[in-house]
Amino acid sequence: MAKKRPQTKTKRPQITDGEIPVVGAREPCPCGSGRRYKACHGRAAAQAVTELVHRPFEGLPGECDWVALRELVPAATAELTLTDGLPEGVPSVTLATVLPMAWPALRREDGSVLLGLQNDTASGDISRDLADTLQRALQAKPGTPVQGRRAPADGPRLQDLLDPEGAFEPVVHSGFEFWVPDAQNATPDVTASLERANAAAIPTVKLTGVDAAYWCETPEKNHLRWVMPHPEEQLLDALARLHAAGRSSLGEGTRLVGSFRAHGLTVPVWDLPSGVSAEDIEKPAAEFAERLSAALATDAPLTPDERRARGGLTNRQVTLS
């Protein structure tokens, strides 16, 4: 019998993760391990795509308004400023809460881009998915929508594409006529989608005296939903202090009823009598902002009454995302 040759181990060249190209899940991993890509370097890539980012809009100008437009406001737009400026042939880029036919984005005939915010996203990072859609919309042929897809795990985020110093000023609309510059010549599908969207839209107004507070009208009562940037635990303590002291309302007949949790931020909600308009609530909201600021600055332990008030607020908290 032939003698077995002694096996010698050779060192594989060291390759960094950044040098590993993406291949098919069942193909051999390019690192040379002998395992399939999905069981080797593809595992980290898949986790990066699915891992939930709790504050996807953190670092963007107007983070609270981004959350409001994503979760609370039916019809609104905001002009976006790109870090590198507008590409040739793209006169403007506009964020929109919803687009016709639920398109993720639309490149209009004039080259302008509409980016939809309230679409379902394929990964755990809304910011990365929106950035991928925006990049593809900038390259799309004028007059065509952009379809959704899962963004590459190493793709840019909105924070990489948008100017951090650019203004973010939402404009709330009563309907979705902003979809089409010429509604008379819209296609039947777009016209039908526009009619359905307008019928379902809840009347909403953005307050002017405080940031990211939105009044809305429903058949039984009105509401104020106010997206706040403060850390959740600190904000709940402050709201509990005011609630226990009888200072959490926005005037006669109004009541702080709880809060939403959305994209890492807390959104206190007040019930308002049906006769209270957005204009009526401007001054009370500004006065509440001053009371809240003082309560946020307090670090004394909560009293028993304040702890009970906090427990009630926590029990009525609903997570939207």
Side-chain angles (χ1 to χ4, degrees):
M1 292 179 65
K3 291 184 179 179
K4 292 184 178 178
R5 286 187 179 179
Q7 295 183 356
T8 58
K9 294 185 179 179
T10 59
K11 264 193 170 182
R12 292 193 185 100
Q14 296 298 309
I15 304 175
T16 65
D17 288 353
E19 295 172 332
I20 304 296
V22 177
V23 298
R26 295 179 174 275
E27 294 181 35
C29 188
C31 75
S33 66
R35 292 182 291 173
R36 290 177 176 177
Y37 178 69
K38 70 175 183 179
C40 192
H41 280 83
R43 182 179 297 169
Q47 182 179 358
V49 169
T50 58
E51 188 174 358
L52 179 64
V53 176
H54 291 281
R55 285 183 65 179
F57 307 116
E58 184 177 15
L60 291 174
E63 179 188 6
C64 293
D65 284 310
W66 276 89
V67 172
L69 267 58
R70 168 75 183 184
E71 298 294 340
L72 307 174
V73 182
T77 57
E79 296 299 313
L80 299 181
T81 304
L82 305 186
T83 299
D84 296 329
L86 294 170
E88 185 178 356
V90 180
S92 64
V93 175
T94 302
L95 182 75
T97 48
V98 181
L99 293 180
M101 313 299 292
W103 290 326
L106 171 66
R107 181 86 184 272
R108 283 176 161 165
E109 292 287 355
D110 66 355
S112 61
V113 168
L114 289 177
L115 176 66
L117 180 58
Q118 293 184 9
N119 297 82
D120 292 334
T121 54
S123 80
D125 186 354
I126 297 171
S127 179
R128 196 179 307 280
D129 285 327
L130 288 171
D132 178 68
T133 301
L134 175 56
Q135 285 189 313
R136 290 185 291 124
L138 293 172
Q139 300 297 324
K141 181 180 177 181
T144 60
V146 175
Q147 302 301 325
R149 72 171 188 181
R150 174 171 287 182
D154 59 350
R157 307 178 73 236
L158 286 175
Q159 288 81 348
D160 302 315
L161 303 183
L162 302 184
D163 184 353
E165 303 299 325
F168 187 76
E169 300 174 352
V171 177
V172 178
H173 304 275
S174 59
F176 295 88
E177 283 73 20
F178 64 84
W179 281 353
V180 285
D182 183 8
Q184 299 298 323
N185 295 320
T187 66
D189 285 345
V190 170
T191 299
S193 184
L194 178 61
E195 291 174 352
R196 288 194 301 270
N198 282 343
I202 296 173
T204 302
V205 176
K206 185 180 189 298
L207 298 194
T208 60
V210 294
D211 292 334
Y214 292 81
W215 171 95
C216 68
E217 180 183 19
T218 62
E220 295 183 358
K221 62 185 73 174
N222 299 340
H223 305 280
L224 183 72
R225 300 178 291 189
W226 192 341
V227 187
M228 296 186 173
H230 318 291
E232 181 179 351
E233 298 301 316
Q234 182 187 6
L235 176 58
L236 289 175
D237 281 354
L239 292 173
R241 296 181 197 278
L242 295 176
H243 202 60
R247 305 182 69 208
S248 65
S249 77
L250 299 175
E252 185 177 354
T254 71
R255 186 166 68 99
L256 175 65
V257 293
S259 63
F260 296 127
R261 183 189 290 116
H263 305 293
L265 299 183
T266 303
V267 189
V269 179
W270 285 261
D271 279 353
L272 313 173
S274 57
V276 174
S277 67
E279 185 177 356
D280 294 333
I281 214 69
E282 286 278 8
K283 183 178 178 182
E287 293 170 346
F288 177 84
E290 294 181 0
R291 299 196 299 273
L292 179 63
S293 179
L296 287 166
T298 303
D299 57 4
L302 296 179
T303 67
D305 284 346
E306 290 168 348
R307 287 199 298 272
R308 281 192 290 272
R310 193 187 194 283
L313 291 172
T314 303
N315 290 338
R316 296 191 297 274
Q317 190 174 50
V318 177
T319 300
L320 298 181
S321 58

